[in-house]
Amino acid sequence: MHKTNVRYWLCQLLGWGGWTMLNLFMTLQYASDYLTPDEKKIIFYYELAFDFICFIVATHLLRTILKRINWMRFPFDRVVIMFITAVLSTGLLCFYGGKLLEKATDKSLTAFERNERFQKAVKFESDLNVAHTSYYLEDNLYKDDSVNYKIVKKIEKNTGWHRGQDGKWIYEDLRKGRAFWNIIFNFILLSLWLLTYLVWHYIDKNRNDQFDKLKLESTVKELELKTIKSHINPHFIFNSLNSIRALVDENPPRARQAITELSNILRSSMQAEKSETVTLEKELDIVKDYLALEHMRFEERLKIEMQIDEDTLQQHVPPMMLQTLVENAIKHGISKQMSGGVVRVISRFQDNHMELIVQNTGQLSPIINGDGFGIKSTEDRLNLMYQGKAFFEIRNAGNNMVESKVTMPVVI
Amino acid sequence: MQKAIIIDDERLARNELKKLLLDFPEVEVIGEAANAAEGIEKIESLSPDLVFLDIQMPGKTGFDMLTELDSAPHVIFTTAYDEYALKAFEVNALDYLMKPVEPKRLADALQKLQQAEEKEMAATMAGINRGMLTENDQVFVKDGERCWFVKLGEVRLFESVGNYAKVFFGAYKPLILKSLNALEERLDEKVFFRANRKHIVNLRMIEKIEPYFNGGLLLELFGGEKVEVSRRQAVKFKEMMSL
């Protein structure tokens, strides 16, 4: 907030200051004879200062109001109406404010000029030797050979002053339209100011919106990744605990081992949130523990086969990904088979890629094909981590066998 | 003494439950099954008072198994963690237990069972031959994701829909895979009356009786359903009612 205020005042001072300086420079450069004598020049400086103050006060007032009503929320047509109203009112405010200041300080170019011209008119009269005649009376004006008429016209044309029938001087400004054009000019200046202000804020808002959107997107991605990683099936945890409980009497050493295996899985599922990748070796440790626990539950119904290429063990893989695939192989495959089946885990190099394959007895259900949370989240994870360089597929592989395969680039 | 069987696909889970039940001498485990097919067989041959039933099993789920039984026994569901399955159970399941089972929860569930039994005993004392379903017998009904145990006394109407029968109770009318003729054979004719080819009505649920064309009758049930009684059945109906 503080920073925006500093920037705003800097813009205000530079803008209006620059404008005043330009005005001063142009006048001094191209109309310097207009500004003689020096007294007139000083009054001109005063007027410039008045304008400067008026513009700043008026625009600052406008800004305060705009902020107060929160103009950004209005639709475009309302903004247009607001724009016109604002320009008209501030333009008039500047004009009459300036006039008021001139009057209050008695530093008015118009008044000075009026006075200057009056002197000139009197001088004309005396130069023409009509100062003490009543040449201006209507009776005299047309009776003669219109010499008097010419004199009146000449003085009036040059100074704006002429004498009324009673002999008193009357003034008519030679440049009557000046005030009108001044106001129009104010309107143009203030439209420029307001236009700059509005456009600036539109752009600023737009940029902020985009920034917010990007920030939101990245947060969503991060969250997604987290939920995918920590997705360990509670059904599995409680079933394992139940089996362990049964084993406590039946086979105490196996029960103790099972507790260690379950601890390992829980621990690594928590740690998975911290690291982006793990070595396949570590991932396989979890998978082996997991399969050991499932074997404890399913007993002879689950057969496990591992075909691991030793060289792939140091490759980095997304944590808990192979684990998820194995989990799904059990959940959708083995646990649905009355007589159980086999789960085969394969890791190997193939055509410059690394392949992780999980095969299980069963048949891919055509209904959930490709839309399940596990499949979708695995694809999303690979996309997020390898930007389209890794692939996932799941298909029926021949005789009552389902195969899910992850193909990843090899990292050396 | 309650005769119970345990249906669960995991041997260790069955063992664990058997071990827990040793502390309850009023329950005797007379059989085990590892899947739904075996389960049906055991229930029909041993006719247990109580079944401990796992929901997730290979082949058919516990729910599917129950829908295949003519009359559902008392069931205590056992499951590890299955929000989804438990949600199906808003309506009158006897109880369910979470594995690993807490002994205290098991005691509560068995107590609940005892109370239900006692209530039934009083009602069933009227004496009925086995094989006939009474008002107190319950059927297990599954419609999509939702399940109910329905006491036959709560059913207003059975309507034939092809091979299925639509069961009207409360605000629901799910389908069960049973023909109307098969149902009629097993239902107590003092309570359930075959009004026409397509309908069996619960006589206790009739709100209004009006004469209809051709000497038939029109019954209006408490749920607002209107059932026509064919002429032939109307004679029988009047006969029964005049008793």
Side-chain angles (χ1 to χ4, degrees):
Chain A
M1 209 62 226
H2 181 69
K3 212 174 125 193
T4 32
N5 267 337
V6 170
R7 199 168 51 199
Y8 162 75
W9 281 113
L10 211 67
C11 285
Q12 280 282 55
L13 291 176
L14 280 179
W16 291 121
W19 164 249
T20 308
M21 286 299 147
L22 185 76
N23 217 336
L24 181 66
F25 174 76
M26 295 299 264
T27 317
L28 288 180
Q29 189 75 15
Y30 299 107
S32 56
D33 44 343
Y34 169 73
L35 291 180
T36 41
D38 282 352
E39 203 189 340
K40 201 176 177 183
K41 205 183 267 179
I42 287 163
I43 293 175
F44 174 68
Y45 293 157
Y46 268 102
E47 283 205 349
L48 278 182
F50 293 157
D51 276 351
F52 177 74
I53 291 166
C54 281
F55 279 131
I56 288 212
V57 169
T59 52
H60 184 63
L61 196 70
L62 180 57
R63 178 201 186 223
T64 314
I65 293 168
L66 285 179
K67 277 176 87 167
R68 177 72 53 84
I69 62 170
N70 192 13
W71 65 276
M72 205 81 91
R73 72 198 157 96
F74 293 131
F76 184 72
D77 51 338
R78 291 282 300 276
V79 172
V80 171
I81 292 169
M82 192 186 71
F83 183 90
I84 294 167
T85 324
V87 166
L88 290 181
S89 51
T90 45
L92 291 172
L93 183 71
C94 284
F95 181 76
Y96 287 108
K99 282 271 170 275
L100 211 67
L101 283 172
E102 284 169 17
K103 214 166 227 158
T105 52
D106 203 16
K107 303 281 184 207
S108 166
L109 265 186
T110 329
F112 185 86
E113 248 167 43
R114 182 189 157 115
N115 197 24
E116 200 180 42
R117 289 200 172 127
F118 181 68
Q119 311 280 339
K120 213 169 160 187
V122 172
K123 192 160 173 285
F124 256 110
E125 253 185 359
S126 62
D127 284 355
L128 292 167
N129 290 320
V130 288
H132 302 293
T133 66
S134 44
Y135 67 96
Y136 44 83
L137 287 179
E138 261 176 45
D139 290 349
N140 300 336
L141 220 50
Y142 300 109
K143 264 180 197 162
D144 282 299
D145 47 4
S146 77
V147 169
N148 285 342
Y149 180 74
K150 277 183 185 162
I151 291 170
V152 170
K153 279 293 149 197
K154 190 177 179 184
I155 296 175
E156 197 178 358
K157 201 180 157 197
N158 276 293
T159 66
W161 287 96
H162 67 94
R163 283 182 192 262
Q165 292 304 300
D166 53 357
K168 281 197 173 132
W169 286 102
I170 298 165
Y171 183 64
E172 257 177 72
D173 200 331
L174 287 174
R175 290 187 281 164
K176 245 190 209 159
R178 190 160 60 169
F180 172 74
W181 288 112
N182 269 347
I183 293 176
I184 295 293
F185 196 67
N186 278 0
F187 288 162
I188 294 170
L189 268 184
L190 288 160
S191 324
L192 284 176
W193 183 93
L194 192 54
L195 209 61
T196 317
Y197 182 85
L198 297 187
V199 169
W200 175 289
H201 279 89
Y202 263 128
I203 292 173
D204 203 42
K205 182 175 180 279
N206 211 340
R207 201 178 41 198
N208 278 342
D209 282 357
Q210 266 177 352
F211 181 69
D212 285 351
K213 219 174 119 194
L214 279 178
K215 218 164 74 178
L216 193 73
E217 266 173 21
S218 74
T219 319
V220 167
K221 265 188 186 175
E222 209 173 292
L223 267 178
E224 270 178 1
L225 212 57
K226 261 191 190 156
T227 46
I228 295 164
K229 276 182 184 170
S230 59
H231 192 77
I232 215 179
N233 187 358
H235 195 259
F236 160 75
I237 297 174
F238 291 113
N239 266 323
S240 300
L241 285 170
N242 195 42
S243 308
I244 291 171
R245 206 180 142 147
L247 278 176
V248 166
D249 290 332
E250 193 181 306
N251 185 350
R254 182 69 191 92
R256 292 171 64 188
Q257 192 192 335
I259 287 172
T260 316
E261 287 158 359
L262 187 58
S263 310
N264 283 343
I265 290 170
L266 292 178
R267 187 177 302 118
S268 51
S269 83
M270 285 166 199
Q271 279 169 348
E273 278 159 51
K274 291 188 192 122
S275 58
E276 280 285 289
T277 58
V278 292
T279 58
L280 180 61
E281 193 172 17
K282 274 202 171 158
E283 178 78 0
L284 274 175
D285 285 343
I286 302 161
V287 170
K288 281 175 191 158
D289 281 343
Y290 175 78
L291 283 172
L293 283 171
E294 291 289 37
H295 188 256
M296 170 184 80
R297 278 179 59 202
F298 291 108
E299 299 185 309
E300 72 290 342
R301 276 165 59 207
L302 172 62
K303 283 176 207 67
I304 302 163
E305 285 175 28
M306 301 285 236
Q307 296 171 13
I308 308 296
D309 181 344
E310 290 281 324
D311 296 337
T312 59
L313 286 180
Q314 294 313 312
Q315 286 292 312
H316 280 257
V317 296
M320 300 304 277
M321 179 174 277
L322 185 59
Q323 158 64 24
T324 308
L325 296 183
V326 172
E327 203 175 306
N328 283 333
I330 303 249
K331 190 172 153 200
H332 301 297
I334 308 304
S335 78
K336 298 235 167 98
Q337 302 292 315
M338 206 83 86
S339 52
V342 63
V343 169
R344 193 176 297 128
V345 181
I346 304 167
S347 102
R348 64 182 183 206
F349 291 119
Q350 187 91 18
D351 308 328
N352 299 324
H353 286 289
M354 184 172 79
E355 288 182 348
L356 290 177
I357 299 169
V358 178
Q359 295 174 337
N360 65 269
T361 309
Q363 206 73 64
L364 206 55
S365 155
I367 313 156
I368 57 153
N369 198 355
D371 285 328
F373 175 75
I375 294 169
K376 180 86 175 57
S377 70
T378 305
E379 276 172 351
D380 285 352
R381 271 186 86 179
L382 287 173
N383 271 334
L384 282 176
M385 296 186 71
Y386 296 98
Q387 285 90 36
K389 287 183 205 119
F391 311 96
F392 173 73
E393 64 170 332
I394 180 161
R395 62 193 180 92
N396 281 316
N399 196 13
N400 199 26
M401 202 53 125
V402 177
E403 178 181 280
S404 49
K405 177 160 83 177
V406 178
T407 313
M408 289 185 294
V410 178
V411 182
I412 306 157
Chain B
M1 180 66 94
Q2 304 265 1
K3 287 181 285 173
I5 67 174
I6 299 173
I7 306 175
D8 194 314
D9 62 321
E10 291 170 34
R11 185 186 63 85
L12 286 174
R14 295 197 298 271
N15 279 2
E16 174 60 18
L17 192 53
K18 266 193 286 184
K19 217 175 293 162
L20 280 166
L21 284 170
L22 288 181
D23 291 339
F24 299 91
E26 70 271 26
V27 178
E28 183 196 5
V29 178
I30 55 166
E32 298 176 28
N35 55 52
E38 260 180 63
I40 291 176
E41 204 184 292
K42 287 271 161 68
I43 290 175
E44 276 168 3
S45 63
L46 301 173
S47 47
D49 303 307
L50 171 63
V51 174
F52 290 95
L53 182 61
D54 188 16
I55 297 168
Q56 301 272 326
M57 287 187 293
K60 290 194 187 94
T61 68
F63 293 148
D64 292 337
M65 192 202 84
L66 283 177
T67 56
E68 286 181 21
L69 295 169
D70 278 341
S71 135
H74 287 301
V75 175
I76 295 178
F77 289 95
T78 58
T79 177
Y81 176 89
D82 214 327
E83 273 179 292
Y84 192 60
L86 292 180
K87 242 184 241 163
F89 259 93
E90 1 177 282
V91 193
N92 58 26
L94 183 55
D95 210 340
Y96 62 84
L97 298 170
M98 300 284 227
K99 293 187 277 191
V101 176
E102 197 190 334
K104 170 85 174 63
R105 283 281 290 123
L106 179 59
D108 289 347
L110 290 173
Q111 172 126 37
K112 226 193 245 180
L113 171 72
Q114 189 119 28
Q115 282 165 2
E117 289 268 273
E118 272 163 25
K119 215 189 279 174
E120 246 162 66
M121 280 297 275
T124 324
M125 277 316 242
I128 22 84
N129 42 343
R130 269 273 167 203
M132 202 51 121
L133 298 175
T134 68
E135 287 171 81
N136 281 304
D137 274 316
Q138 56 181 1
V139 285
F140 183 81
V141 182
K142 185 164 173 261
D143 190 25
E145 302 302 331
R146 306 191 62 181
C147 309
W148 300 268
F149 279 108
V150 191
K151 284 238 177 351
L152 286 177
E154 289 165 13
V155 177
R156 291 192 296 275
L157 174 69
F158 293 96
E159 185 182 62
S160 161
V161 185
N163 286 331
Y164 292 85
K166 202 185 257 181
V167 187
F168 291 72
F169 63 93
Y172 312 102
K173 36 188 173 182
L175 288 172
I176 55 174
L177 182 55
K178 285 191 176 90
S179 76
L180 220 53
N181 285 338
L183 273 169
E184 194 187 7
E185 272 173 32
R186 307 271 332 256
L187 290 169
D188 183 359
E189 58 182 343
K190 288 201 192 75
V191 183
F192 290 96
F193 178 73
R194 182 74 181 247
N196 55 49
R197 269 190 316 117
K198 292 195 70 175
H199 296 99
I200 298 176
V201 294
N202 183 338
L203 293 175
R204 311 239 155 104
M205 292 286 186
I206 295 171
E207 193 181 14
K208 243 197 267 171
I209 305 170
E210 282 169 33
Y212 208 53
F213 303 112
N214 289 336
L217 292 168
L218 188 71
L219 307 178
E220 194 176 329
L221 306 182
F222 282 115
E225 295 90 359
K226 287 193 171 124
V227 181
E228 193 192 326
V229 184
S230 64
R231 193 160 52 135
R232 201 159 61 95
Q233 289 303 92
V235 176
K236 202 170 156 197
F237 183 80
K238 283 173 194 157
E239 219 169 76
M240 279 178 72
M241 284 318 197
S242 62
L243 267 173

